[in-house]
C-alpha cells in the first residue's frame, strides 16, 4: 500500500528493511541500518510531537537521538510536549516542524475504510483494501444492524470507538474481541426516537428515574443494552454491561465497562478541547482518565444548570476513593 501511494513520487522511497528483519523491529535498528546505507548523510526521524513525551521509554532511546535529528510534527493545535526528560545536548537534536496539523489518525482511517469510505485514502490504496478484504474483522453482521439504525456520522463514531476499545483492551488485559463488539454497538439506539427508547426500556424491565427522564441523552445506553438483549443480538453480559453504562459510568465498573466508557471519550473522531489531556491520561491508566472525565462531565452539567445523574456522581466518587486509597487515606 505504501508503494501504491508513493510509487509515482520520485521524492520518496519505500523501504522494506523492517519487514525483512523477520522479528520484532526497533526504531534504533532501522536507524543503524540507514546510517550504514547512507554514511555521509544526516538522518531526520519524523514523529508526532505528542510522542516526544514517551520517547525516553523507547528501546535505546538515547542512541536514537544520537543517530538522527528528531523532527516533531504537531498533531493538534497548541500542543506543547514536556521536554524536561532530555539533556540540553539532546534538545539540540529535536526540531519542531511548524505546520498546520492534520487532525487525523490511522485509527480513524481504518475505521472509515471498514465502512467503505475512501476519501482519506489514495484511490489505488482504497481499491487494494477492497480487493483484498483488509480490515475485515468478522463484525459485518453487527455493521449491517448499524447501517439500518444509525446515520453515517454515528456509524463512523461507533467504528472509532470500537477500534479504540480494542487498543485499550490489549493494553489493559481485557478481551479485545468483546471490546471491539461493545464499542461498535454502544450507540445502537442513539438515533432512535424517544417512543422506541421508552418502549425498549420498559420491555427490559428498567424503570427510568426522574433524573433519567430529565436527561434523554442518557436513554440510549439503557435502550441500547435492552435492544441488543431483546433482539438476541448479544447475550454476553459483559458486553451488555459495557453498553449499559458507557455514558454515565457507575461505581464498581468492570474492566470492559471502563474501557468502553473511556474509548467513547477518546476515540479518533473526538475533538473537544480536553481530548488530548484525556488521551494522555488513558495511556497512564483507565482510572486516571475516568476520574478526569467524570469530573469534566459533572462540571459541565453544573455550568448548564442540568441535573447530574447519580451514577456519574458515584463513578466520580469511586475513582476519587480509588486514588485516595492508593495514597493511604
Amino acid at each position: 500500500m505504501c508503494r501504491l501511494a508513493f510509487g509515482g513520487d520520485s521524492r520518496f522511497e519505500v523501504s522494506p528493511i523492517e519487514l525483512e528483519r523477520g522479528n520484532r523491529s526497533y526504531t534504533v535498528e532501522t536507524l543503524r541500518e540507514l546510517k550504514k546505507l547512507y554514511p555521509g548523510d544526516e538522518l531526520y526521524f519524523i514523529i508526532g510531537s505528542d510522542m516526544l513525551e514517551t520517547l525516553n521509554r523507547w528501546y535505546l532511546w538515547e542512541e536514537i537521538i544520537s543517530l538522527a535529528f528528531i523532527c516533531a510534527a504537531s498533531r493538534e493545535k497548541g500542543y506543547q510536549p514536556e521536554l524536561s526528560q532530555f539533556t540540553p545536548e539532546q534538545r539540540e537534536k529535536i526540531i519542531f516542524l511548524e505546520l498546520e496539523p492534520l487532525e487525523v489518525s490511522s485509527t480513524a482511517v481504518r475505521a472509515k475504510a471498514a465502512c467503505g469510505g475512501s476519501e482519506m485514502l489514495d484511490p489505488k490504496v482504497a481499491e487494494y483494501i477492497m480487493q483484498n478484504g483488509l480490515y475485515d474483522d468478522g463484525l459485518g453482521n453487527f455493521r449491517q444492524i448499524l447501517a439500518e439504525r444509525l446515520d453515517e456520522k454515528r456509524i463512523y463514531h461507533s467504528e472509532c470507538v470500537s477500534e479504540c476499545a480494542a487498543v485499550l483492551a490489549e493494553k489493559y488485559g481485557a478481551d479485545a474481541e468483546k471490546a471491539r463488539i461493545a464499542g461498535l454497538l454502544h450507540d445502537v439506539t442513539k438515533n432512535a426516537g424517544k417512543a422506541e427508547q421508552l418502549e425498549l426500556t420498559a420491555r427490559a424491565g428498567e424503570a427510568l428515574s426522574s433524573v433519567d427522564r430529565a436527561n434523554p441523552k442518557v436513554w440510549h445506553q439503557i435502550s441500547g443494552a435492552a435492544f441488543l438483549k431483546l433482539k438476541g443480538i448479544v447475550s454476553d453480559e459483559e458486553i451488555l454491561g459495557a453498553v449499559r453504562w458507557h455514558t454515565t459510568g457507575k461505581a464498581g465498573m468492570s474492566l470492559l465497562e471502563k474501557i468502553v466508557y473511556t474509548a467513547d471519550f477518546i476515540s479518533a473522531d473526538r475533538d473537544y478541547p480536553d481530548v488530548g489531556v484525556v488521551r494522555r491520561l488513558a495511556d497512564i491508566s483507565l482510572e486516571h482518565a475516568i476520574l478526569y472525565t467524570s469530573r469534566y462531565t459533572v462540571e459541565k452539567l453544573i455550568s448548564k444548570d442540568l441535573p447530574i445523574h447519580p451514577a456519574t456522581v458515584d463513578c466520580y466518587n469511586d475513582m476519587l476513593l480509588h486514588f485516595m486509597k492508593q495514597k493511604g487515606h
Side-chain angles (χ1 to χ4, degrees), residues 250-296:
K250 67 168 184 172
M253 282 194 287
S254 70
L255 178 57
L256 187 62
E257 288 166 354
K258 290 179 180 179
I259 283 170
V260 175
Y261 173 93
T262 303
D264 193 26
F265 269 95
I266 67 169
S267 57
D269 60 312
R270 294 296 198 189
D271 61 356
Y272 58 92
D274 286 5
V275 68
V277 175
V278 183
R279 285 173 180 151
R280 291 192 288 277
L281 290 173
D283 190 53
I284 299 171
S285 79
L286 294 170
E287 290 75 21
H288 276 87
I290 294 170
L291 177 63
Y292 189 94
T293 52
S294 58
R295 180 171 58 232
Y296 176 93

Side-chain angles (χ1 to χ4, degrees), residues 129-148:
I129 290 172
M130 189 165 61
Q131 288 178 347
N132 291 274
L134 302 185
Y135 312 117
D136 181 1
D137 52 10
L139 304 183
N141 290 339
F142 297 132
R143 289 193 174 93
Q144 184 59 42
I145 293 168
L146 297 188
E148 296 169 358

Side-chain angles (χ1 to χ4, degrees), residues 24-91:
R24 179 176 291 180
S25 181
Y26 291 102
T27 296
V28 69
E29 295 170 332
T30 301
L31 291 173
R32 286 171 182 167
E33 288 190 52
L34 291 173
K35 202 69 175 176
K36 289 178 182 177
L37 288 171
Y38 308 101
D41 296 328
E42 292 282 7
L43 299 182
Y44 293 82
F45 179 43
I46 304 174
I47 62 175
S49 56
D50 55 317
M51 298 178 72
L52 277 177
E53 291 188 2
T54 59
L55 185 64
N56 64 334
R57 298 205 294 268
W58 290 27
Y59 178 62
L60 297 179
W61 67 275
E62 291 172 310
E63 186 178 348
I64 291 174
I65 297 179
S66 72
L67 288 169
F69 286 92
I70 308 300
C71 300
S74 300
R75 292 288 297 270
E76 55 189 73
K77 292 181 180 179
Y79 178 60
Q80 293 294 325
E82 175 59 51
L83 299 180
S84 60
Q85 66 272 41
F86 302 114
T87 66
E89 292 78 15
Q90 289 169 340
R91 288 178 208 168

Side-chain angles (χ1 to χ4, degrees), residues 17 51 77 92 138 145 152 160 201 218 261 263 299 305 315 320 322 324:
I17 60 175
M51 298 178 72
K77 292 181 180 179
E92 290 181 3
I145 293 168
E152 184 177 345
C160 290
T201 301
V218 307
Y261 173 93
E299 291 174 348
D305 289 328
C315 178
L320 190 62
H322 166 81
M324 290 176 66

Side-chain angles (χ1 to χ4, degrees), residues 1 4-5 113 116-135:
M1 287 189 285
L4 287 171
S118 61
E119 62 268 23
M120 290 188 281
L121 299 170
D122 182 291
K124 297 186 294 294
V125 174
E127 183 180 0
Y128 182 88
I129 290 172
M130 189 165 61
Q131 288 178 347
N132 291 274
L134 302 185
Y135 312 117

